Amino acid sequence: MTANTQINKNMISKVSDRRGFTLLELIVVLALLAILAAVSAPKFIDLSANAEQKALRIGVAELNGRENLVWLDIKNSQIGWVDDTAVFSKIDTNLGPNYHWSPRAEIDGGKLHFKDQMIKLKRIPSTEASAAKWEIIFSSS
């Protein structure tokens, strides 16, 4: 057996005797994880707020779709369009469990909430020629 072979066997046996991580290695890994968490947490919070804002915008689109359907239904009925109050009274403003109004949807608008986000809406009344439209006039962030 040569000297080099003996050295290689000694190195292999020393490496295979090692059973765990050193304290320094564990501290370095924990420090890296802490840095990653500190960098990613604010981005996750922003992502959540953006998703809630998009959900509110989708809710407004849903309200506008409902306005169009109700308005068309009334226009095609035998009575026809009478006034905006009749149209608004038939609109279902309940958009789901995570949405709520404060205090409620009004014929001229209202405040719509989705989780922690809120938007203030203005409702442009329907006419005989067009359906009502909900527009965002204020958005919290």
Side-chain angles (χ1 to χ4, degrees):
M1 199 181 268
T2 66
N4 283 341
T5 323
Q6 185 63 31
I7 292 172
N8 286 342
K9 285 185 179 179
N10 287 340
M11 290 177 124
I12 291 171
S13 69
K14 285 183 181 179
V15 170
S16 65
D17 287 343
R18 191 171 176 192
R19 298 188 191 272
F21 298 104
T22 65
L23 182 59
L24 181 61
E25 290 170 330
L26 290 174
I27 290 173
V28 168
V29 169
L30 289 174
L32 289 173
L33 289 174
I35 291 169
L36 285 173
V39 169
S40 64
K43 291 185 181 195
F44 177 74
I45 291 168
D46 288 343
L47 182 65
S48 178
N50 287 341
E52 290 174 8
Q53 281 291 323
K54 286 185 182 183
L56 281 168
R57 293 183 190 283
I58 290 169
V60 173
E62 175 67 21
L63 286 170
N64 284 322
R66 291 177 184 185
E67 286 278 359
N68 285 324
L69 289 173
V70 168
W71 180 82
L72 285 170
D73 190 39
I74 289 173
K75 283 286 284 185
N76 290 329
S77 70
Q78 288 187 358
I79 298 170
W81 186 88
V82 177
D83 63 9
D84 184 54
T85 306
V87 175
F88 182 74
S89 68
K90 293 188 181 212
I91 301 294
D92 179 11
T93 57
N94 181 6
L95 297 172
N98 290 319
Y99 292 91
H100 70 276
W101 294 88
S102 61
R104 64 182 177 276
E106 301 284 346
I107 196 165
D108 60 347
K111 292 179 184 173
L112 180 62
H113 300 261
F114 182 83
K115 295 187 179 181
D116 294 334
Q117 299 294 313
M118 183 271 297
I119 55 175
K120 187 170 183 181
L121 299 173
K122 175 182 177 186
R123 183 177 174 272
I124 300 168
S126 65
T127 64
E128 192 169 359
S130 66
K133 183 168 171 80
W134 294 84
E135 292 182 344
I136 299 172
I137 58 174
F138 172 78
S139 177
S140 72
S141 49

